[in-house]
């Protein structure tokens, strides 16, 4: 049900209704503690800097050391318009500094319901807005404004985007942090499969700097996972920009027989030609996009035939508003949009509003989300490989005061 007092506003054209003016923009730092397992789940993934021997971490092995308290910090953005507010988070610190110093004063007094106008004006506000921390800040504001509109209209964001296309959303479980010791990989992938994760993404730990031995380890990981998980599980692999084209081609040739669902972000985003060459040379679908900023960069990757899977992240690409546009573009190229899961809230609602043909899955970082949503009263949970949609207003984010040991209103300017 829409909030009764706002129904008359929706019947009026934009130029004929009173504005729901933004009265304040707040950034809250939350601090608390939780018990965590020590000495486990700290497996690194390959990174571009690992090309250099002195920057390469040693081979990782789990070393259980019991439990220990972990200090947790999270930043949430709150936008207030009279007696209505929207909240979004956790948000990267780099982004909230930009929100506080460059967007806050711009936003106050603006109409919170004028989403397209606000996005376009924020984008035109700064010469560096097209990428990086400024676009991350636009994303944070856009997401918080969607939550505000959801509260104003007493509707979930997916409803504002056109309504859900299904009642629950299939997820793929990202296994970042899990040990790559082969015996533990065998156990873990079976456990995940049996708990409902029929789609699993594993993170490769070796790149060109590790030589032929590292390549063999990357291939052996794929073989072990396929044999352990069985034929009915989708297996995806992430190289986090740590490879070059020759390395990716050598790996792909040896693992095609194990039918990976995709190889993700084999190269940095500025190497479009390498993505194109890899896609043409292998039957393994090519994925990238978590570091895409805006629909224009996303479109270049799609129209060039570089990828089959676009992974734009609404925390970084421009928010819910921009991710929805990217989905519209992708549908015309038959490219799937499976958003990167830095946070789940915004991605979940966009995916829920899109055709399952375009958006079949949402990412869930299994280990990260345990700590990441520590301060949420009702953190997003996965059951039988799916996230059930609810009808709470906005994104349904509520903070749990019992877990917040310290709460600080931040000022960076």
């Amino acid at each position: 049900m829409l909030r009764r007092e706002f129904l008359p506003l929706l019947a009026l054209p934009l130029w004929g209704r009173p504005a729901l003016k933004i009265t304040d923009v707040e950034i809250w730092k939350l601090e608390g503690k939780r018990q965590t397992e020590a000495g486990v789940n700290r497996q690194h993934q390959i990174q571009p800097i690992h090309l250099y021997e002195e920057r390469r971490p040693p081979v990782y092995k789990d070393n259980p050391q019991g439990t220990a308290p972990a200090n947790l910090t999270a930043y949430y953005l709150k936008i207030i318009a009279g007696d209505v507010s929207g909240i979004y988070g956790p948000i990267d610190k780099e982004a909230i500094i930009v929100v506080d110093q460059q967007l806050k004063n711009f936003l106050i007094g603006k109409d919170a319901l004028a989403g397209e106008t606000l996005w376009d004006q924020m984008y035109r506000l700064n010469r560096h807005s097209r990428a990086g921390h400024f676009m991350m800040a636009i994303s944070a504001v856009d997401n918080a404004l969607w939550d505000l509109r959801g509260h104003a209209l007493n509707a979930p964001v997916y409803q504002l985007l056109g309504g859900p296309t299904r009642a629950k959303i299939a997820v793929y479980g990202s296994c970042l942090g899990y040990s790559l010791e082969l015996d533990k990989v065998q156990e873990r992938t079976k456990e995940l499969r049996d708990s409902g994760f029929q789609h699993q993404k594993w993170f490769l730990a070796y790149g060109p700097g590790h030589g032929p031995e590292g390549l063999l380890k990357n291939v052996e990981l794929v073989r072990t996972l396929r044999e352990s998980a069985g034929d009915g599980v989708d297996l995806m692999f992430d190289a986090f920009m740590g490879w070059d084209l020759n390395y990716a081609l050598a790996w792909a040739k040896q693992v095609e027989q194990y039918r990976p669902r995709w190889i993700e972000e084999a190269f940095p985003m500025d190497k479009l030609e390498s993505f194109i060459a890899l896609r043409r040379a292998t039957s393994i679908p090519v994925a990238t996009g978590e570091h895409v900023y805006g629909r224009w960069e996303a479109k270049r990757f799609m129209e060039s035939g570089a990828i089959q899977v676009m992974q734009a992240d609404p925390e970084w690409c421009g928010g819910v508003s921009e991710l929805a546009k990217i989905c519209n573009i992708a549908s015309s190229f038959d490219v799937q949009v499976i958003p990167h899961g830095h946070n789940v809230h915004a991605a979940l609602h966009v995916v829920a509003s899109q055709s399952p043909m375009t958006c079949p899955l949402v990412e869930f970082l299994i280990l990260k989300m345990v700590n990441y949503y520590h301060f949420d009263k009702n953190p997003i949970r996965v059951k039988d490989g799916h996230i059930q949609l609810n009808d709470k207003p906005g994104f349904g984010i509520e903070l749990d005061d019992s877990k917040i040991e310290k709460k600080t209103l931040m000022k960076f300017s």
Side-chain angles (χ1 to χ4, degrees):
M1 296 260 323
L2 302 181
R3 280 179 58 166
R4 183 171 299 173
E5 63 267 37
F6 289 103
L7 284 172
L9 301 185
L10 296 179
L12 293 171
L14 177 64
W15 56 89
R17 62 165 172 79
L20 183 61
K21 290 189 176 181
I22 297 170
T23 51
D24 205 355
V25 176
E26 298 177 345
I27 298 161
W28 289 95
K29 179 182 179 181
L30 310 183
E31 298 174 79
K33 293 184 179 70
R34 72 179 300 272
Q35 290 294 118
T36 60
E37 289 186 85
V40 298
N41 300 329
R42 296 292 182 269
Q43 170 68 54
H44 62 271
Q45 66 181 124
I46 183 65
Q47 296 187 19
I49 196 66
H50 294 171
L51 182 65
Y52 293 90
E53 185 175 3
E54 69 273 16
R55 300 307 300 261
R56 216 174 289 152
V59 174
Y60 173 84
K61 292 185 178 181
D62 276 347
N63 181 25
Q65 300 169 18
T67 60
N71 295 318
L72 301 178
T73 299
Y75 297 91
Y76 282 79
L77 174 62
K78 185 176 184 180
I79 299 180
I80 303 168
D83 65 346
V84 185
S85 64
I87 189 171
Y88 199 77
I91 291 168
D92 295 324
K93 188 175 181 179
E94 307 96 307
I96 62 174
I97 292 173
V98 178
V99 172
D100 185 74
Q101 293 185 340
Q102 301 198 47
L103 294 179
K104 177 177 179 177
N105 289 337
F106 164 78
L107 289 166
I108 291 175
K110 301 296 191 302
D111 184 1
L113 297 180
E116 285 297 316
T117 300
L118 285 177
W119 198 100
D120 193 53
Q121 290 183 355
M122 287 189 291
Y123 181 74
R124 296 172 184 274
L125 194 62
N126 187 287
R127 70 183 72 182
H128 300 297
S129 63
R130 65 183 177 82
H133 296 160
F134 205 96
M135 182 58 82
M136 291 164 65
I138 292 175
S139 303
V141 169
D142 185 73
N143 292 338
L145 285 171
W146 276 101
D147 187 67
L148 187 153
R149 294 177 204 121
H151 282 275
L153 303 172
N154 197 28
V157 170
Y158 64 74
Q159 197 73 54
L160 303 182
L161 291 168
T165 56
R166 60 221 114 141
K168 57 184 180 180
I169 308 300
V171 307
Y172 75 85
S174 274
C175 301
L176 182 61
Y178 287 131
S179 173
L180 297 183
E181 299 165 83
L182 294 183
D183 58 337
K184 295 186 177 178
V185 165
Q186 290 173 326
E187 295 173 5
R188 179 65 65 185
T189 189
K190 291 176 183 176
E191 290 173 1
L192 292 173
R193 178 199 64 196
D194 294 345
S195 68
F197 285 101
Q198 297 301 309
H199 316 275
Q200 302 174 22
K201 185 170 78 181
W202 290 79
F203 294 76
L204 299 153
Y206 302 97
H210 296 91
E213 182 182 358
L215 178 60
L216 289 175
K217 288 182 178 180
N218 283 334
V219 172
E220 185 68 6
L221 174 65
V222 180
R223 183 190 67 79
T224 301
L225 282 164
R226 176 52 70 206
E227 291 177 354
S228 302
D231 291 334
V233 174
D234 272 337
L235 296 171
M236 304 84 145
F237 296 92
D238 190 333
F240 194 60
M241 304 182 289
W243 292 356
D244 61 13
L245 179 58
N246 289 332
Y247 193 96
L249 290 171
W251 177 85
K253 184 177 181 180
Q254 295 183 65
V255 304
E256 276 184 313
Q257 61 184 308
Y258 304 118
R259 304 176 308 285
R261 176 151 178 172
W262 69 62
I263 174 61
E264 176 175 333
E265 213 172 26
F267 323 109
M269 289 297 297
D270 54 357
K271 295 192 174 184
L272 176 60
E273 293 78 10
S274 292
F275 284 98
I276 295 171
L278 179 61
R279 182 181 175 182
R280 290 174 177 171
T282 181
S283 64
I284 300 171
V286 176
T288 198
E290 71 179 83
H291 297 113
V292 156
Y293 297 106
R295 74 199 84 141
W296 303 278
E297 188 175 12
K299 182 173 180 286
R300 282 195 293 274
F301 272 79
M302 291 186 276
E303 68 184 358
S304 65
I307 57 174
Q308 289 103 316
V309 182
M310 167 55 62
Q311 297 169 306
D313 191 318
E315 315 299 311
W316 302 335
C317 76
V320 164
S321 298
E322 196 66 3
L323 181 59
K325 292 182 173 69
I326 290 171
C327 290
N328 291 337
I329 296 170
S331 67
S332 67
F333 289 100
D334 276 342
V335 169
Q336 292 187 331
V337 179
I338 304 177
H340 176 252
H342 188 65
N343 196 333
V344 181
H345 292 291
L348 176 68
H349 282 250
V350 174
V351 167
S353 71
Q354 296 286 325
S355 166
M357 183 69 77
T358 301
C359 294
L361 297 168
V362 69
E363 180 177 17
F364 189 85
L365 281 147
I366 299 168
L367 291 172
K368 175 186 176 181
M369 293 307 161
V370 175
N371 290 332
Y372 201 67
Y373 288 143
H374 174 70
F375 299 108
D376 281 26
K377 184 178 293 185
N378 301 297
I380 292 174
R381 302 292 189 195
V382 176
K383 183 178 180 181
D384 297 327
H386 291 79
I387 298 173
Q388 186 76 38
L389 298 179
N390 62 55
D391 58 359
K392 293 181 179 180
F395 296 112
I397 300 172
E398 298 178 67
L399 299 180
D400 187 344
D401 291 334
S402 69
K403 295 179 180 178
I404 302 171
E405 298 179 12
K406 185 178 180 182
K407 187 175 181 180
T408 307
L409 181 61
M410 301 298 292
K411 300 287 184 181
F412 294 95
S413 53

